Amino acid sequence: MTSSAVSVAGISKSYGSFKAVDNVSFDVQGGEIFALLGPNGAGKSTIIRMILDILKPDSGRIAVLDGTLDDARKSRIGYLPEERGLYRNVPVLEIMVYLASLKGMPAGDARKRGLELLEQLELGDVSKKKVSELSKGMQQKVQFAVTILHRPELVIIDEPFSGLDPINTLTIKELIIGLRNQGTAIMMSTHQMYQVEEMANRLFMINRGKPALYGPVQQVRQDYALPAVIVEGVGDWAALPAVERVEQISDGEGTMAQAGTLLYLRDGASSDDVLQQIVSQPGHQLRRFEQAIPSLNDIFIRVVEEGVVHE
Amino acid sequence: MSKIWRVASREYLSNLRRKSFIFTTFGIPILMIALILVITTLSIQAEAGDVNDQIGYVDHSGVLSRQIAIPDNYTMFDSEEAAEAALAADEIGAYFVVEPDYMATGSVTLYIASGGGDALIETFNQYLIANIDTGLNPEIAARVLDPVVMSLLTLNNGRQIEENSIGVIFMIPMIFVFVFFMAIQTTSGTLMSSVVEEKSSRVIEILVTSVTPFQLLAGKIIGLGALGITQISIWVGATLLVVLLSNAIPQLHGLSVPLDIIFVGITYFLLGYALTASFMAGIGAVAGSEQESRQIAGLAVFPLVIPFFFIYIFITDPNAPIAVFLTLFPLTAPVTAILRVGYSGIPTWQLVASILIMTITTLFAVWASARVFRWSILMYGKRPSLKRIIGAIFGRSEMQTTATGERAG
């Protein structure tokens, strides 16, 4: 497997006077799930299309699978676009074999692997059915199967879970994680932040065409951690010396996703200080104590609302 | 090249199995052959069911005594009784009695077993005319009777058509024009539908990450061109079969398939198809929907029909300026050339110039179409203006997307 599946260095792209992508750099490694995030119209699709050589960057360099995207490298990429569809009146397996053959896979292998994948996706009985006869969820799964049929080393997926019910979402999620564990580089663009938290190793967020966040998911969340802890239990929290002020939060309210009591720390105080004071002072019962790390969803909203970008 | 081949073979095989293709390709020749068989059968039955075609006559006037140009099936009887007996015995189907005062009154009586006697009267009239003593020798009398035995030799194409097949002179070029017109229409129309389908279903989003727009377009043109050749081969084969069958039908005697029409036809089919297909691919790529693409395509195909309005000129004045212009103008050249070769022939310089101009135009159209195709294949919704399309052909034709120029996602 390739270590650097995608390497983007200082790419920019303008449409007339509108700068869609401005000096963006990141890299995607083999064996990781890399999330490409950003609000609608931020430039995600433009970046993906530049990586896929559909659009040319005005400046900067892009390397895919350690080189320029040529015919051979194209065959090592699987792409699930956001705007997707299949030939409506053609049997499922025939479409899979044709699209895999365009990636250089022999028809016999494609047929065998196609049937295996359909079986894995619980679609074993649809191979001879036309796409128009399938439900939307089934079509989505077939589309995903087409993306990974030829065993690509780099998989670029745009909103892989849209239109899927929780069970199908889980099936696709397991497949993506399975691919990652086998060493495939997964670049995923999605608005479902909880999926990114659960699945992604690293992320890159673009806002108004410019880089906003970049790094390991947990690191990014840590960077946005509040000077506070969340507690649940009984006690006079405001009386604790290390606590500056107290705020009640209900589920999904404010900047924190979980319900509880938010204890803001005084300058110089740490979460350890708060914990020690709770334990040492009588009358406190503690059921939950954790650092106030915002969810990715909260961070996303904050970045967009505050217009955070890194020049 | 292998990707072009994969696209081509997929287009060829998947369309070969389409019901509409099978119906058009096999249905039309089957209908044609069935029609010929029905005519043949009816004709044979009619012949088999005819009353006895042996004709007798009794000449009381003596006008037929010399028996000049006597038809093979005519027999002279000495008396009406003998003729009547022969009719009763079915030795003859009818007999004429030329009355003694024929020269003064023209009186002739026809006795017939059954049916009408119009055709019999016509031939008997001819026989009488040949024998009325005008003082001419029999040879001159025969020439007066049948002044012209037509044999038409068309100087431009050297084709010779016998008198009884003049009627079919119009058929062959029309059949060929029909065949090539249909093949061009079917295959280039299929190409446009295929482009529109891939665009509207968004399959194109996946395809362009596997093949270049040029590979995709080239594959489609080659695959569907092969489909057109298959269709033409089947139709030409059926036409040859019809020619063989036609020998059984007097009205179709002389029907043949001239090789020059086939050669010119195939050449113009390939060029005409590539030219039309390029237009269709471009239209399919920029059109917003199947319906819209069909409306625009109607305009693109219209020039192919124009030559039909000038068939009379092609026959009567083959080198009239309009005939030459339509032969040289690329959009009307395929149909005009086949019609002219069939009817009156084309001077070699015009044919060479026409093919040359068409080849250059077709190469340009394929190139321009590839640029428009690449430029517009990922644009959805609003159709771009003509100015932007021309800009894409001659300017920078980077692939555009729906978001291009708006806010990119």
Side-chain angles (χ1 to χ4, degrees):
Chain A
M1 290 294 158
T2 317
S3 58
S4 181
V6 179
S7 174
V8 170
I11 56 165
S12 298
K13 177 76 182 173
S14 296
Y15 301 124
S17 59
F18 174 68
K19 202 147 197 177
V21 175
D22 188 2
N23 197 22
V24 163
S25 302
F26 61 81
D27 66 282
V28 182
Q29 303 296 323
E32 75 166 343
I33 295 175
F34 183 88
L36 178 63
L37 309 178
N40 293 329
K44 298 188 299 294
S45 296
T46 302
I47 291 175
I48 290 177
R49 283 173 165 157
M50 284 192 281
I51 291 170
L52 292 168
D53 198 33
I54 293 172
L55 297 173
K56 303 277 183 206
D58 298 334
S59 59
R61 281 180 299 104
I62 297 173
V64 178
L65 299 167
D66 288 333
T68 309
L69 191 59
D70 52 15
D71 250 18
R73 286 190 175 84
K74 276 185 181 177
S75 298
R76 293 157 62 196
I77 298 177
Y79 174 47
L80 180 71
E82 185 181 8
E83 298 259 22
R84 48 185 171 248
L86 294 166
Y87 298 100
R88 292 193 59 73
N89 294 312
V90 181
V92 167
L93 191 60
E94 194 179 316
I95 296 175
M96 294 173 81
V97 171
Y98 171 56
L99 294 175
S101 77
L102 291 181
K103 294 286 189 186
M105 196 175 199
D109 290 355
R111 192 171 296 276
K112 190 165 167 261
R113 163 96 169 133
L115 287 170
E116 278 170 17
L117 267 177
L118 288 176
E119 205 63 52
Q120 210 172 336
L121 289 162
E122 292 162 3
L123 293 172
D125 53 344
V126 308
S127 64
K128 289 179 182 166
K129 282 190 179 170
K130 290 178 181 172
V131 170
S132 56
E133 296 168 31
L134 306 184
S135 70
K136 197 182 168 198
M138 286 174 164
Q139 289 183 26
Q140 290 275 79
K141 288 203 282 183
V142 170
Q143 195 100 44
F144 188 79
V146 165
T147 309
I148 61 169
L149 177 63
H150 56 290
R151 296 189 178 88
E153 292 162 50
L154 168 64
V155 174
I156 299 176
I157 39 183
D158 205 343
E159 291 297 345
F161 307 110
S162 72
L164 290 178
D165 63 27
I167 302 208
N168 284 327
T169 299
L170 187 64
T171 310
I172 297 292
K173 202 162 142 183
E174 284 172 356
L175 263 173
I176 294 172
I177 291 170
L179 286 171
R180 187 258 314 270
N181 294 343
Q182 288 164 21
T184 308
I186 316 276
M187 185 171 160
M188 176 172 78
S189 171
T190 181
H191 287 136
Q192 298 185 11
M193 294 302 140
Y194 66 97
Q195 300 286 12
V196 177
E197 279 178 16
E198 287 181 24
M199 298 167 66
N201 302 85
R202 293 189 307 137
L203 65 82
F204 176 85
M205 182 170 170
I206 184 170
N207 190 26
R208 298 175 192 170
K210 293 179 177 167
L213 301 171
Y214 180 39
V217 174
Q218 294 314 318
Q219 182 61 53
V220 169
R221 288 186 66 196
Q222 193 69 48
D223 291 347
Y224 275 78
L226 295 173
V229 293
I230 300 170
V231 293
E232 268 184 66
V234 180
D236 184 6
W237 311 117
L240 296 170
V243 173
E244 185 182 79
R245 62 188 170 91
V246 175
E247 190 180 307
Q248 289 296 325
I249 48 169
S250 55
D251 198 10
E253 189 186 272
T255 57
M256 307 303 299
Q258 312 100 319
T261 305
L262 196 60
L263 310 182
Y264 282 92
L265 309 181
R266 288 187 191 282
D267 271 354
S270 69
S271 52
D272 285 352
D273 296 338
V274 177
L275 185 60
Q276 273 186 356
Q277 287 165 13
I278 290 171
V279 173
S280 60
Q281 291 185 14
H284 286 97
Q285 292 175 9
L286 197 60
R287 288 196 303 278
R288 176 180 162 214
F289 182 94
E290 64 185 56
Q291 270 201 302
I293 297 175
S295 69
L296 213 47
N297 202 56
D298 295 332
I299 296 170
F300 184 97
I301 292 168
R302 194 171 145 191
V303 167
V304 174
E305 284 182 349
E306 293 176 7
V308 175
V309 292
H310 293 291
E311 297 292 342
Chain B
M1 192 63 201
S2 65
K3 287 189 177 177
I4 294 177
W5 169 246
R6 283 192 191 107
V7 174
S9 61
R10 194 248 164 198
E11 290 290 342
Y12 180 80
L13 293 172
S14 65
N15 283 294
L16 195 68
R17 294 196 300 255
R18 279 166 87 118
K19 282 179 191 157
S20 57
F21 178 81
I22 293 170
F23 179 77
T24 315
T25 307
F26 294 99
I28 289 175
I30 286 171
L31 270 175
M32 206 158 67
I33 291 168
L35 196 68
I36 298 289
L37 286 175
V38 167
I39 293 171
T40 311
T41 310
L42 288 177
S43 171
I44 290 167
Q45 277 177 352
E47 279 176 21
D50 267 350
V51 288
N52 193 331
D53 67 346
Q54 291 299 310
I55 305 300
Y57 68 89
V58 181
D59 179 19
H60 292 305
S61 69
V63 71
L64 299 172
S65 59
R66 290 186 298 165
Q67 295 192 337
I68 296 168
I70 183 169
D72 293 341
N73 58 338
Y74 274 38
T75 310
M76 194 180 82
F77 290 92
D78 294 334
S79 66
E80 289 184 47
E81 290 74 21
E84 194 180 342
L87 183 65
D90 201 26
E91 290 166 10
I92 55 173
Y95 69 90
F96 291 92
V97 175
V98 183
E99 303 300 343
D101 58 351
Y102 169 77
M103 287 304 287
T105 62
S107 177
V108 175
T109 309
L110 169 65
Y111 297 86
I112 189 164
S114 65
D118 289 351
L120 296 180
I121 293 166
E122 178 61 29
T123 45
F124 197 68
N125 273 346
Q126 297 287 315
Y127 183 43
L128 279 168
I129 292 166
N131 283 275
I132 292 170
D133 189 358
T134 56
L136 298 172
N137 72 35
E139 271 187 7
I140 295 172
R143 204 60 307 112
V144 170
L145 194 65
D146 189 7
V148 177
V149 177
M150 185 70 80
S151 188
L152 182 71
L153 181 67
T154 312
L155 288 178
N156 278 334
N157 59 7
R159 190 163 299 128
Q160 185 164 349
I161 298 124
E162 298 305 324
E163 182 179 16
N164 62 353
S165 59
I166 287 174
V168 303
I169 187 179
F170 292 100
M171 284 178 65
I172 288 292
M174 287 301 281
I175 289 172
F176 271 79
V177 164
F178 176 75
V179 163
F180 291 111
F181 183 79
M182 283 288 289
I184 286 177
Q185 273 275 60
T186 311
T187 45
S188 59
T190 306
L191 189 141
M192 186 180 72
S193 301
S194 152
V195 171
V196 171
E197 186 203 356
E198 283 173 355
K199 196 176 165 184
S200 62
S201 70
R202 304 293 199 258
V203 180
I204 194 70
E205 295 269 348
I206 301 172
L207 291 174
V208 293
T209 61
S210 301
V211 293
T212 64
F214 177 77
Q215 287 171 328
L216 188 61
L217 183 63
K220 282 180 186 297
I221 290 180
I222 292 168
L224 293 170
L227 192 73
I229 295 283
T230 305
Q231 194 170 50
I232 286 177
S233 305
I234 291 167
W235 284 347
V236 168
T239 308
L240 291 172
L241 195 60
V242 168
V243 168
L244 289 175
L245 287 172
S246 70
N247 290 329
I249 303 169
Q251 289 78 5
L252 294 179
H253 278 170
L255 191 66
S256 62
V257 182
L259 285 176
D260 55 351
I261 292 189
I262 292 183
F263 176 74
V264 170
I266 294 281
T267 305
Y268 276 97
F269 165 76
L270 291 173
L271 290 169
Y273 162 72
L275 186 63
T276 317
S278 302
F279 284 136
M280 295 292 196
I283 291 167
V286 297
S289 65
E290 173 95 32
Q291 192 187 3
E292 192 181 46
S293 64
R294 291 207 175 279
Q295 285 166 355
I296 307 171
L299 292 174
V301 175
F302 179 71
L304 284 173
V305 184
I306 293 173
F308 288 106
F309 301 118
F310 298 95
I311 288 178
Y312 180 74
I313 292 176
F314 298 159
I315 297 168
T316 56
D317 188 5
N319 285 305
I322 185 70
V324 177
F325 171 76
L326 292 175
T327 308
L328 298 180
F329 185 62
L331 299 181
T332 52
V335 171
T336 308
I338 298 172
L339 286 174
R340 283 187 65 195
V341 166
Y343 290 147
S344 54
I346 303 180
T348 311
W349 76 264
Q350 284 183 29
L351 199 61
V352 171
S354 167
I355 290 174
L356 202 65
I357 291 171
M358 217 177 146
T359 306
I360 293 167
T361 311
T362 303
L363 287 174
F364 172 75
V366 171
W367 173 80
S369 164
R371 288 179 72 85
V372 172
F373 188 80
R374 176 183 162 79
W375 173 75
S376 61
I377 198 67
L378 290 183
M379 289 167 76
Y380 307 114
K382 199 180 169 190
R383 179 161 43 87
S385 66
L386 191 62
K387 191 179 164 192
R388 287 191 67 199
I389 294 171
I390 291 170
I393 294 173
F394 296 104
R396 187 170 173 236
S397 81
E398 186 190 35
M399 206 182 290
Q400 304 287 297
T401 63
T402 308
T404 304
E406 300 159 24
R407 288 184 66 79

